[in-house]
């Protein structure tokens, strides 16, 4: 999948750099540092073909200088990525929670701030802020206790 991800990133670099719009290029360069966003989209085998078709539609509209068509194709591409990435992240989260509940004596540690924890957390989790993580030993009675962070 890395070759596909690298090709995808290269495609986006060409599009963004070709605009000559520094305000557009800078956010892309920042987002490009985190390839995991694109990898989530590419992980879904069914969506890979859609990705290619979307890219072709965008490229065709850009080559034909059809701004309205390009804008619509780009919006659809972004929307599809957002839907797929959200679905994949939700599935990963559900797997992690399932694994936690299937592990006897497991402890789930939420390392966010107390305020973030109060705003919402997984039932049964324990809040130990990241800067206080050394306190975890007081929470664990046995050295072989599974800990999810």
């Amino acid at each position: 999948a890395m070759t596909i991800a690298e090709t995808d990133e290269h495609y986006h670099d060409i599009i963004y750099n070709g605009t000559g719009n520094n305000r557009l290029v800078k956010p892309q360069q920042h987002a490009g540092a985190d390839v995991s966003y694109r990898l989530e989209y590419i992980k879904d085998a069914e969506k890979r073909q859609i990705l290619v078709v979307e890219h072709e539609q965008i490229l065709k509209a850009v080559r034909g200088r059809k701004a309205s068509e390009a804008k619509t194709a780009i919006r659809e591409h972004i929307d599809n990525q957002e839907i797929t990435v959200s679905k994949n992240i939700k599935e990963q989260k559900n797997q992690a929670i399932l694994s936690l509940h299937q592990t006897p004596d497991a402890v789930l540690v939420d390392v966010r701030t107390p305020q973030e924890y109060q705003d919402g957390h997984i039932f049964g989790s324990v809040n130990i802020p990241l800067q206080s993580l050394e306190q975890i030993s007081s929470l664990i009675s046995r050295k072989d206790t599974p800990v999810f962070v």
Side-chain angles (χ1 to χ4, degrees), residues 11 55-66 69:
Y11 169 84
H55 283 179
E56 288 171 350
Q57 289 172 340
I58 293 167
L59 196 54
K60 180 181 176 187
V62 169
R63 281 184 178 148
R65 300 193 181 281
K66 298 177 181 176
E69 232 177 86

Side-chain angles (χ1 to χ4, degrees), residues 92-121:
Q92 289 173 3
K93 181 180 172 185
N94 289 342
Q95 275 302 108
I97 292 170
L98 182 62
S99 179
L100 169 68
H101 290 297
Q102 291 176 341
T103 306
D105 303 321
V107 176
L108 175 62
V109 179
D110 187 325
V111 296
R112 298 174 302 154
T113 66
Q115 182 59 48
E116 290 170 321
Y117 182 80
Q118 276 185 331
D119 290 344
H121 59 272

Side-chain angles (χ1 to χ4, degrees), residues 27-82:
Q28 170 57 18
Q29 288 170 341
H30 178 71
D34 182 11
V35 180
S36 64
Y37 175 78
R38 287 200 186 102
L39 284 177
E40 287 302 322
Y41 187 65
I42 293 167
K43 276 183 192 176
D44 191 328
E46 294 175 13
K47 298 293 182 186
R48 274 188 230 132
Q49 187 56 39
I50 294 170
L51 178 76
V52 171
V53 169
E54 289 171 347
H55 283 179
E56 288 171 350
Q57 289 172 340
I58 293 167
L59 196 54
K60 180 181 176 187
V62 169
R63 281 184 178 148
R65 300 193 181 281
K66 298 177 181 176
S68 180
E69 232 177 86
K71 184 178 178 179
T72 300
I74 289 168
R75 179 77 267 155
E76 287 175 9
H77 178 60
I78 291 169
D79 289 347
N80 285 337
Q81 282 191 352
E82 183 179 355

